[in-house]
Amino acid sequence: MTVDASRDPQTARRDKRIVWGIAGLVAATVLIGALAPSGHMPAALAPADDPACAEWGDGCKVCRRLEAGAACSLPGIACTPGTMACLRATGEP
């Protein structure tokens, strides 16, 4: 007496559980990918490249946006530069 595995009810139930398990994992993966926050953030503009920044500096020198271009002061002898930051936005006094 031979048993056809494709018609065995126990094998069919196990196969259905496996198929539903795989489908559930695929659905969960797609949902996590769609709902998880992205790690990619757009790069911030450097103050010199940001048209909204009228004056920027690093603690040693200060640069100002003029009609002819950027004009920067000279740093002091013992100055240690810090992080470049916008000091005054365009339109501020």
Side-chain angles (χ1 to χ4, degrees):
M1 177 156 113
T2 60
V3 176
D4 186 11
S6 64
R7 296 184 190 264
D8 182 26
Q10 191 174 19
T11 304
R13 277 192 302 245
R14 184 185 53 142
D15 290 348
K16 283 182 184 178
R17 277 187 271 161
I18 291 172
V19 168
W20 281 108
I22 292 171
L25 285 173
V26 169
T29 303
V30 170
L31 283 173
I32 288 172
L35 299 177
S38 173
H40 174 70
M41 297 193 63
L45 286 175
D49 298 330
D50 186 4
C53 184
E55 190 172 298
W56 60 95
D58 61 2
C60 289
K61 65 179 181 177
V62 176
C63 297
R64 179 176 287 168
R65 191 175 314 280
L66 302 173
E67 290 179 16
C72 297
S73 66
L74 295 174
I77 293 173
C79 186
T80 304
T83 303
M84 190 67 70
C86 185
L87 304 174
R88 185 173 59 88
T90 305
E92 290 181 6

